[in-house]
């Protein structure tokens, strides 16, 4: 997975005037802040450029994986408008455009340089430059998304307002860390208690069976651009973005029968899957003796429903 070609070109043009040394410094500052669980101040051209090169492809890939699943689970539900809160440079909206192409988009972002990047990347979207924690009500939209924004704003009460604004569904995505999952778990409890129906990733609305120090997260593989590799002095031309999420809806949908919550382990004649089921966490050992199940397990990945649709 990588950002669409025209977007990569726009990012290259925006980043070029910053120059490699300043970009490298900014990238190190942004990475260090994320590593230490701090919120980086993105409000400079160099730091925004660093975000566009090193983080946006990954958050786009995570949102794409989540929204593909949400689109599938929502079935024929019409989604004609999307609200993206804490939108940054528009990664989640860009992904949503792929799956909800008939929608119009509203983005809320407080940082002027990030908002400007979003304007360039999503020329058809409406961009509101505002602090979303100060809004008592969000404008109602069919689909509301908060991607990598809730934990940064550190205001749990926003979840109820996001839900109020969601006419069809709400999606919250956070980094796939214990801390990110903590935000997701709290949001999940509040939303289910407010009458929301589970869409994904959980197979049901029962209590989450994953207990500390375990946490529910998934991974999206992202191709690194050569500039990204140079900035990170990385050899690999890809990285795995870890994310946690919850998606809920106003109407009930059919959730996954179970979901694969670890990378599957393959050995000759055997695939082992850790799955989350309505009964709790279960290990599936698929062997060649059961051909259909073995084949299904072999083509399933971390984060997929099991058995596949
Ligand atoms: C980690 S970035 C994520 C951006 C984007 N959603 C993505 O997935 O790439 C978090 C964004 O939320 C914005 N943000 C954080 N708190 C905010 C607030 N209170 N009001 C508006 N935007 C906020 C930040 O400025 C930043 O652009």
């Amino acid at each position: 997975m990588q950002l669409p070609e025209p977007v990569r070109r726009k990012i290259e043009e925006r980043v070029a005037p910053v120059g490699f040394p300043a970009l490298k410094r900014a990238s190190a500052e942004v990475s260090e802040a994320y590593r230490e669980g701090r919120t980086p101040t993105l409000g400079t051209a160099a730091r925004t450029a660093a975000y566009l090169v090193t983080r946006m492809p990954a958050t786009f890939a995570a949102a794409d994986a989540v929204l593909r699943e949400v689109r599938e689970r929502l079935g024929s539900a019409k989604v004609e408008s999307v609200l993206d809160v804490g939108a940054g440079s528009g990664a989640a909206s860009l992904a949503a455009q792929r799956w909800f192409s008939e929608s119009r988009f509203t983005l809320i972002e407080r940082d002027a340089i990030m908002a400007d990047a979003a304007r360039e990347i999503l020329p058809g979207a409406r961009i509101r430059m505002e602090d979303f924690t100060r809004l008592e009500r969000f404008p109602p939209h069919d689909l509301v998304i908060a991607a990598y924004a809730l934990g940064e704003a550190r205001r749990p009460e926003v979840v109820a307002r996001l839900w109020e604004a969601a006419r069809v569904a709400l999606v919250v995505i956070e980094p796939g860390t214990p801390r990110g999952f903590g935000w997701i778990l709290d949001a999940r409890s509040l939303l289910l208690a407010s009458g929301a129906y589970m869409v994904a990733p959980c197979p049901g609305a029962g209590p989450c069976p994953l207990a500390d120090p375990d946490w529910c997260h998934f991974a999206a593989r992202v191709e690194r651009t050569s500039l990204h590799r140079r900035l990170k002095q990385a050899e690999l031309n890809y990285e795995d973005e870890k994310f946690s999420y919850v998606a809920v809806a106003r109407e009930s949908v059919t959730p996954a029968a179970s979901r694969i919550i670890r990378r599957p382990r393959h050995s000759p004649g055997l695939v082992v899957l850790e799955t989350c089921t309505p009964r709790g966490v279960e290990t599936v050992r698929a062997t060649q003796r059961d051909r259909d199940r073995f084949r299904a397990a072999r083509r399933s990945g971390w984060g997929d429903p099991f058995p596949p649709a």
Side-chain angles (χ1 to χ4, degrees), residues 34 39-40 42 51 55-56 58-60 63 84-93 108-111 114-115 128-134 145-150 152-155 173:
Y34 282 129
T39 301
L42 294 170
Y51 188 90
R55 291 297 302 142
M56 188 180 176
T59 60
F60 168 74
D84 182 358
V85 173
S89 48
S93 289
I108 302 183
E109 168 56 47
R110 71 173 168 199
D111 184 276
M114 286 293 254
R128 286 175 52 169
M129 238 195 72
E130 272 173 292
D131 178 340
F132 68 72
T133 62
R134 288 170 186 256
I145 307 172
Y148 293 83
L150 198 63
E152 202 162 287
R154 291 169 213 249
R155 297 285 289 274
I173 308 174

